[in-house]
Amino acid sequence: MSDAPAADFEEAFLDALVELPMLRLSARFEAPLPLAWREPASVLRGALGAELRRTARRPHDGQICPPEACCPYCTMFEPQPRRSEAGSLTPPHPLIVSATEAEWASGRFDIALVGAAARFADPVVASLERIFERGLGAKTIRGRITSWTTIGAGGDVDPRGAPINVGAEVRRRVREWRGAPSMQLWTVSPVRLTAAINAEPRLSPRALTFAAARRAASLAAYFGGGAPALPLTQEMIAAAEEVRPLEEAWRWKDGVRFSARQRRDVPLGGVVGHGTYSGWTEPLLAVLGAGVVLGVGKSCSFGLGRLSARAKECPPAAD
């Protein structure tokens, strides 16, 4: 934790995200996904990893590419820990899969590649097109890419998509939310936080702030411009603990996925629901915005960790 002012943290935090490029893809299957696919994102993720591994320039028989010549597969699926003063740090996966249950049911989903992974736009798009052409799963369900947006470091945008930049997008959200009496949060997909796994199934502002700040700062440090992962300030931690719930409706939702490595089903549950809270400071809103854009908690590459938020008027006080 840091004793630096919260405003200083906010500025450095957002500056690091400006240097974080991103590639976003939207795609659609031609038929609804089978109900037997309990976690469609896991099936899709596995197919993409297998295709990238198969088409890598060098064989991957238990070997990982060196950092200076990392291929698309190793960058997205085998990011290597780094040493720091805090010890060995495990990087987050720079692959985000996003879809609501209704979107999966209709065959629609989004994929985002963050940081260094975004420079592999061409091989990733080509791999997905081959997967969609062959068909996915035993029923060989075909699909197609419906849109493609590349977000360059500093805000350069590929003409194939609408202009978005990670840091600028977070700043835009903060401007929209600034001064709002309360914020309403809801899950797009289950959110898997350690605090919710080990304790009550609830997305508290404090737990969300820790998780969103950790993930965003780690992505920026590993896959962006090399900015250090910034510790939360004591002031921000105290402010998060002062955010007051106005209404909450959270619950735990069980889920499983099949692990090809472990050859068994593994738990993949998370918290779902919604809540409304008052008392957000602007630095906290910046961290919340990063969580909305980049995901929160564990297993974002398996379709978890997607959160939405909007400013909301406080209800009138009871007489």
Side-chain angles (χ1 to χ4, degrees), residues 158-169:
D158 189 281
R160 286 165 289 196
I164 307 173
N165 164 266
V166 176
E169 175 68 5

Side-chain angles (χ1 to χ4, degrees), residues 132-303:
F132 289 149
E133 183 178 354
R134 291 196 306 265
L136 189 62
K139 294 188 176 181
T140 60
I141 299 176
R142 298 176 183 272
R144 58 187 175 88
I145 295 173
T146 57
S147 69
W148 176 0
T149 304
T150 303
I151 311 159
D156 297 331
V157 178
D158 189 281
R160 286 165 289 196
I164 307 173
N165 164 266
V166 176
E169 175 68 5
V170 174
R171 290 181 192 275
R172 181 187 66 79
R173 292 173 185 269
V174 172
R175 287 195 299 270
E176 288 181 356
W177 299 338
R178 184 183 293 140
S182 66
M183 292 294 299
Q184 184 180 42
L185 317 180
W186 67 96
T187 55
V188 176
S189 62
V191 173
R192 190 173 177 84
L193 302 184
T194 302
I197 296 172
N198 298 331
E200 59 179 331
R202 174 175 176 259
L203 300 184
S204 70
R206 186 180 191 276
L208 278 174
T209 298
F210 267 101
R214 183 186 304 115
R215 175 169 170 79
S218 296
L219 283 168
Y222 274 93
F223 304 111
L230 302 171
L232 286 173
T233 66
Q234 295 280 5
E235 181 184 345
M236 290 181 65
I237 294 170
E241 292 173 345
E242 291 298 317
V243 175
R244 182 169 59 91
L246 301 179
E247 61 89 18
E248 293 183 305
W250 303 112
R251 64 181 177 86
W252 182 266
K253 181 179 179 181
D254 287 323
V256 294
R257 69 173 180 87
F258 179 77
S259 171
R261 290 186 176 182
Q262 301 180 48
R263 298 186 180 279
R264 65 180 181 88
D265 286 343
V266 296
L268 199 67
V271 175
V272 297
H274 59 87
T276 302
Y277 304 87
S278 65
W280 296 87
T281 65
E282 193 163 317
L284 290 178
L285 289 177
V287 175
L288 175 62
V292 170
V293 175
L294 295 171
V296 178
K298 301 175 179 292
S299 302
C300 290
S301 66
F302 290 100

Side-chain angles (χ1 to χ4, degrees), residues 12-35:
F13 180 77
L14 292 174
D15 284 347
L17 296 184
V18 168
E19 297 304 318
L20 193 64
M22 178 182 282
L23 165 70
R24 279 182 176 167
L25 297 169
S26 294
R28 183 164 193 162
F29 291 104
E30 295 177 354
L33 301 181
L35 294 177

